[in-house]
């Protein structure tokens, strides 16, 4: 039988020295926060709460055939959540990248017929592209209409 020797446990401590090219955080001045309310819906004689959302192709005119459906793999529609959201991005990032322009198209009836004549332009925030449960729309179209923290 082999005899085992007792080894006293040892603990070594090393000082953490970050490398010069690693940045764990950045100054707040490098970011801007957009505050907006997800409240885009229609009013007037038709007050709908279910919509299809399309990304505008850049021409400023709704066209179901050329504008991209925000939910291509779903028959479900968008409904406003009514909450205020805070979206923080790098300063200098275009509002078009964060909140692309698009179209809110009301749905009517049990089968969800679209009413393209009632389409309204919106800004779309979609942190998970294609997920209708996490899509937010606002009628705040210009950057000056957003409440912005840390503006440049």
């Amino acid at each position: 039988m082999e005899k085992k020797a007792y080894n006293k446990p040892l603990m070594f401590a090393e000082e953490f020295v970050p490398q010069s090219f690693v940045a764990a955080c950045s100054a707040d001045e490098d970011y801007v926060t957009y505050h907006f309310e997800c409240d885009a819906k229609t009013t007037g004689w038709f007050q709908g709460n279910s919509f299809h959302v399309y990304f505008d192709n850049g021409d400023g005119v709704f066209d179901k055939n050329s504008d991209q459906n925000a939910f291509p793999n779903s028959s479900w529609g968008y409904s406003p959540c009514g909450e205020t959201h805070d979206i923080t991005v790098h300063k200098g990032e275009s509002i078009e990248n964060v909140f692309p322009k698009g179209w809110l198209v009301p749905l009517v009836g049990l089968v969800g017929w679209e009413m393209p004549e009632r389409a309204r332009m919106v800004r779309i925030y979609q942190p998970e592209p294609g997920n209708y449960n996490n899509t937010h729309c606002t009628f705040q179209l210009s950057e000056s209409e957003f409440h912005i923290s840390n503006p440049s």
Side-chain angles (χ1 to χ4, degrees):
M1 176 178 221
E2 185 178 323
K3 190 174 183 181
K4 294 184 180 182
Y6 174 76
N7 292 325
K8 183 177 178 181
L10 301 173
M11 181 167 41
F12 297 100
E14 292 181 31
E15 182 180 345
F16 173 74
V17 180
Q19 297 176 358
S20 61
F21 59 85
V22 175
C25 59
S26 182
D28 287 342
E29 295 81 34
D30 293 341
Y31 295 92
V32 63
T33 301
Y34 292 95
H35 310 279
F36 75 96
E37 190 171 348
C38 176
D39 61 353
K41 59 184 177 182
T42 56
T43 58
W45 71 269
F46 175 78
Q47 295 186 7
N49 283 321
S50 187
F51 308 88
H52 278 168
V53 177
Y54 291 84
F55 292 103
D56 186 50
N57 64 9
D59 65 3
V61 177
F62 175 67
D63 181 352
K64 182 178 178 170
N65 297 319
S66 65
D67 293 327
Q68 178 188 356
N69 189 335
F71 319 123
N73 299 320
S74 174
S75 60
W76 292 96
Y78 154 85
S79 292
C81 70
E83 294 181 19
T84 299
H85 300 281
D86 300 327
I87 311 304
T88 302
V89 298
H90 285 284
K91 270 190 181 173
E93 186 165 355
S94 167
I95 191 169
E96 296 298 330
N97 291 337
V98 182
F99 302 100
K101 286 184 179 177
W103 297 98
L104 192 67
V105 182
L107 302 176
V108 295
L110 296 175
V111 293
W113 291 319
E114 289 183 344
M115 295 181 67
E117 68 278 3
R118 289 275 180 205
R120 290 194 56 196
M121 185 163 269
V122 292
R123 289 275 184 187
I124 303 166
Y125 179 65
Q126 199 174 38
E128 301 169 36
N131 183 350
Y132 67 89
N133 285 321
N134 198 6
T135 296
H136 309 280
C137 297
T138 181
F139 289 128
Q140 296 164 280
L141 297 179
S142 69
E143 192 164 2
S144 63
E145 295 179 79
F146 282 87
H147 173 71
I148 302 172
S149 299
N150 251 0
S152 47

